[in-house]
């Protein structure tokens, strides 16, 4: 029992460190609000270029980065997809939708990660997820993610003026992108990219219908 508690605490502490870095994505909505779309796009593109150089060096074994997952040792790490997802959202969606989509990524995925660190079988994209049959996160994790995204949707609707129906659809799409491993060519797509892209696309579609 003591060993199980210790393991649970270690996993939670590691995930908290990872998500502390994850929350840096809040700078994207801040830039869109305080600056403009062009400046935000340029800043993210510059960050992505630097990250790609750093990742190239990491994969060659020349540098090491803290908090990378086991399955990321020989493949592109999640932070690259995170920055790329933010860039895609800012480039292709209106600012109000891009802000909401990135909030789903930075805050909603943080809630999911913390819940998944203390609930078994939540890894549906890493080594466990690829070897096992489970491609959907446990219901408690999905519930936590959806509740967090609903709160984000409510806040985003008040700040951006987006219709509640639009942000609610985005919350559902973000939860789906996080909770279900989308498989392409035998490999799962990284949710750091699919969360902002799918939720942004769904919100854009619903906004057009309305």
């Amino acid at each position: 029992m003591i060993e199980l508690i210790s393991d649970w605490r270690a996993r939670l502490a590691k995930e908290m460190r990872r998500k502390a870095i994850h929350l840096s994505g809040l700078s994207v909505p801040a830039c869109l609000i305080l600056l403009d779309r062009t400046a935000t796009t340029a800043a993210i593109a510059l960050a992505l270029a630097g990250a790609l150089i750093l990742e190239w060096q990491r994969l060659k074994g020349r540098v090491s980065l803290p908090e990378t997952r086991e399955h990321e040792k020989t493949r592109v790490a999640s932070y690259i997809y995170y920055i790329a997802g933010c860039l895609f959202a800012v480039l292709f969606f209106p600012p109000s939708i891009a802000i909401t989509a990135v909030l789903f990524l930075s805050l909603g995925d943080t809630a999911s990660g913390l819940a998944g660190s203390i609930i078994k079988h939540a890894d549906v994209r890493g080594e466990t997820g690829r070897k096992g049959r489970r491609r959907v996160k446990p219901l408690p994790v999905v519930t936590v993610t959806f509740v967090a995204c609903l709160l984000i949707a409510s806040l985003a609707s008040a700040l951006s003026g987006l219709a509640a129906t639009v942000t609610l659809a985005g919350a559902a799409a973000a939860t789906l992108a996080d909770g279900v491993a989308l498989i392409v060519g035998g490999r799962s797509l990284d949710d750091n990219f699919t969360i902002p892209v799918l939720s942004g696309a769904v919100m854009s579609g619903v906004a057009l219908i309305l």
Side-chain angles (χ1 to χ4, degrees), residues 122-162:
D123 180 11
V124 295
R125 294 180 176 86
E127 293 296 337
T128 302
R130 290 203 298 274
K131 292 178 181 178
R133 294 182 178 181
R134 294 185 64 89
R135 290 296 188 178
V136 180
K137 290 185 178 182
L139 182 58
V141 178
V142 175
T143 301
V144 167
T145 306
F146 187 54
V147 170
C149 287
L150 284 179
L151 293 174
I152 296 165
S154 177
L155 175 63
S157 181
L159 292 176
S160 67
L162 289 172

Side-chain angles (χ1 to χ4, degrees), residues 59-90:
L59 291 173
K60 283 184 170 293
R62 294 172 181 170
V63 297
S64 61
L65 297 177
E67 311 308 334
T68 53
R69 290 194 170 104
E70 185 66 26
H71 68 273
E72 294 174 332
K73 288 184 176 180
T74 57
R75 55 187 293 192
V76 175
S78 294
Y79 73 100
I80 296 294
Y81 297 103
Y82 187 105
I83 302 172
C86 290
L87 181 59
F88 187 100
V90 172

Side-chain angles (χ1 to χ4, degrees), residues 15-85:
E15 192 63 24
M16 289 178 68
R17 292 193 297 270
R18 283 179 57 86
K19 295 310 180 185
I21 300 172
H22 208 73
L23 291 174
S24 64
L26 292 174
S27 61
V28 174
C31 285
L32 281 172
I33 293 170
L34 298 174
L35 301 175
D36 58 31
R37 191 175 188 176
T38 301
T40 303
T41 300
I44 300 174
L46 183 61
L48 181 58
L52 287 171
I53 294 172
L54 181 63
E55 186 66 2
W56 175 54
Q57 294 297 308
R58 184 187 72 85
L59 291 173
K60 283 184 170 293
R62 294 172 181 170
V63 297
S64 61
L65 297 177
E67 311 308 334
T68 53
R69 290 194 170 104
E70 185 66 26
H71 68 273
E72 294 174 332
K73 288 184 176 180
T74 57
R75 55 187 293 192
V76 175
S78 294
Y79 73 100
I80 296 294
Y81 297 103
Y82 187 105
I83 302 172

